[in-house]
């Protein structure tokens, strides 16, 4: 008999999630049936969408999420013992799976668990970041929607996080001038000094309107929006004719009641005046092309063109802490929990 731990929603969040909103629960797992395997978590992901998704959850539901897990017992030849898999196994230490996408509760469009291929020696946790969902989000959201051209000016908000950091570096690879928006000077300096961004604005301390005017007096061609709200309204007001906006996320609104979202300045004037295009997307739209992003991001890492970092929290019991810290901006790069 295996004892598994899971983390459930204790009560609905009121603003920023609190430790007291969650409960850790133990459960005994039954013996495996034919076709099933038992996966033990190795790395777990904490992501902003979990905060947004919680609006659809009820107290008692297990927190949703993806993890890298090791197959420790198996009655399914596709998932041999000892292999590592990426699966939508939620906030659990142990999961029984039969490898089907459809069995996953609350998974939305999550794919079936897959065995991790050869990563050329890179950490397995990268499959939750640059070689996983955030990496393909950055790749397709920038290249397919913004279509950046050499010499153009690209601005990315949430720039020092899992998605934003990759977006900025891909834009540099494509020959663009890149400006990141983030919430601390330490993160901003990292973007410029380590990752090669051309400049940054600190949305907490800078006058963003003035700073963007200084950093991009020529105007902005592409905006990759991770945050929404006033930050985005200000960026859009600096865009040049025929600019493109990729709407990836709206983290500045996630702690608000869905029925009472933040009120922000009107962007329509800038949209029609400069004939801008704005398109929202969800990562799963590109699920049939996920291998392309995986291959290209891996190649850029191996060539030294794409640098990648993680903020790692140790211990399953610290999942909640890692989640709250990520939402509060304590992470540089991808927020990961290591068992
Ligand atoms: N469309 C899709 O399919 C898709 C897929 C993945 C992610 N996303 C979205 O992409 C965005 C980034 O996700 P991620 O995984 O890369 O997370 P992340 O950037 O690694 O972590 C979240 C970051 O958001 C920033 N933040 C928090 N509150 C903020 C606020 N009120 N205003 C501005 N920034 C704030 C914090 O950085 P600072 O210190 O800079 O404030 C924090 O570190 C999220 O909106 C997420 O929902 C969308």
């Amino acid at each position: 008999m295996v004892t598994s731990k899971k983390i459930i929603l204790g009560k609905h969040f009121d603003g920023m999630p609190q430790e007291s909103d969650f409960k850790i629960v133990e459960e005994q797992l039954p013996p495996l049936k034919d076709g099933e395997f038992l996966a033990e978590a190795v790395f777990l992901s904490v992501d902003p969408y979990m905060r947004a998704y919680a609006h659809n959850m009820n107290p008692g539901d297990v927190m949703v999420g993806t993890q890298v897990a090791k197959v420790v017992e198996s009655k399914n030849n596709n998932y041999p013992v000892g292999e590592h898999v990426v699966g939508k196994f939620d906030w659990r230490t142990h999961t029984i799976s039969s490898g089907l996408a459809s069995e996953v509760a609350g998974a939305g469009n999550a794919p079936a668990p897959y065995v991790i291929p050869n990563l050329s020696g890179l950490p397995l946790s990268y499959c939750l970041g640059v070689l996983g969902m955030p990496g393909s989000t950055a790749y397709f959201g920038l290249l397919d929607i913004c279509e950046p051209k050499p010499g153009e000016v690209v601005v990315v908000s949430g720039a020092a996080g899992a998605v934003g950091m990759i977006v900025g570096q891909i834009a540099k690879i494509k020959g663009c001038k890149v400006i990141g928006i983030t919430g601390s000077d330490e993160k901003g300096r990292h973007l410029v000094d380590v990752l090669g961004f051309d400049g940054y604005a600190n949305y907490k301390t800078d006058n963003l309107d003035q700073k963007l005017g200084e950093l991009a007096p020529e105007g902005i061609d592409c905006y990759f929006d991770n945050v929404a709200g006033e930050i985005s309204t200000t960026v859009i007001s600096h865009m040049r004719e025929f600019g493109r906006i990729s709407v990836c996320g709206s983290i500045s609104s996630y702690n608000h009641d869905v029925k009472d979202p933040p009120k922000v300045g009107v962007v329509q004037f800038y949209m029609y005046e400069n004939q801008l295009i704005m398109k929202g997307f969800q990562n799963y739209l590109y699920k049939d092309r996920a291998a392309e992003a995986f291959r290209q991001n891996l190649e850029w890492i191996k060539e030294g063109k794409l640098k990648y970092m993680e903020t790692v929290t140790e211990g399953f019991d610290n999942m909640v802490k890692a989640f709250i810290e990520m939402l509060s901006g304590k992470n540089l790069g991808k927020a990961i929990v290591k068992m």
Side-chain angles (χ1 to χ4, degrees), residues 30 51 60 67 82-83 114 156 166 207 231 238 315 323:
R51 173 65 185 91
Q67 53 176 262
E83 290 286 0
Y114 66 89
V156 52
I166 301 169
N207 175 328
I231 293 173
H238 281 259
F323 179 53

Side-chain angles (χ1 to χ4, degrees), residues 111-131:
Y114 66 89
V115 174
I116 297 179
N118 181 0
L119 299 183
S120 311
L122 294 174
L124 295 172
S125 56
Y126 280 27
C127 290
L128 301 176
V130 65
L131 301 178

Side-chain angles (χ1 to χ4, degrees), residues 48 137 161-163 182-183 187 203 226 248-249 254 281 283 326-327 329 331:
T137 300
V163 174
T182 183
K187 289 185 182 184
Y203 72 89
N226 279 317
C248 175
Y254 294 169
F281 74 101
N283 174 269
M326 178 275 300
L327 292 173
N331 61 308

Side-chain angles (χ1 to χ4, degrees), residues 4-7 27 29 37-47 49-50 62-72 79 83-97 104 110-116 124-129 131-134 316 319 334-339:
S4 175
K5 277 191 197 177
K6 60 184 181 182
I7 298 180
E27 62 183 354
L29 299 184
F37 65 96
L38 175 67
E40 184 176 276
V42 179
F43 296 103
L44 299 103
S45 184
V46 285
D47 300 86
Y49 78 83
M50 298 165 178
V62 184
M63 290 295 295
V64 297
T66 301
Q67 53 176 262
V68 168
K70 185 172 181 180
V71 179
V72 289
Y79 300 93
E83 290 286 0
H84 285 87
V85 296
V86 175
K88 166 76 182 53
F89 298 152
D90 300 334
W91 292 24
R92 288 191 173 87
T93 58
H94 298 79
T95 307
I96 292 177
S97 170
V104 181
Y114 66 89
V115 174
I116 297 179
L124 295 172
S125 56
Y126 280 27
C127 290
L128 301 176
L131 301 178
M133 184 277 282
F316 183 77
M319 284 284 299
K334 179 75 188 90
I336 293 287
V337 174
K338 181 174 183 287
M339 292 295 287

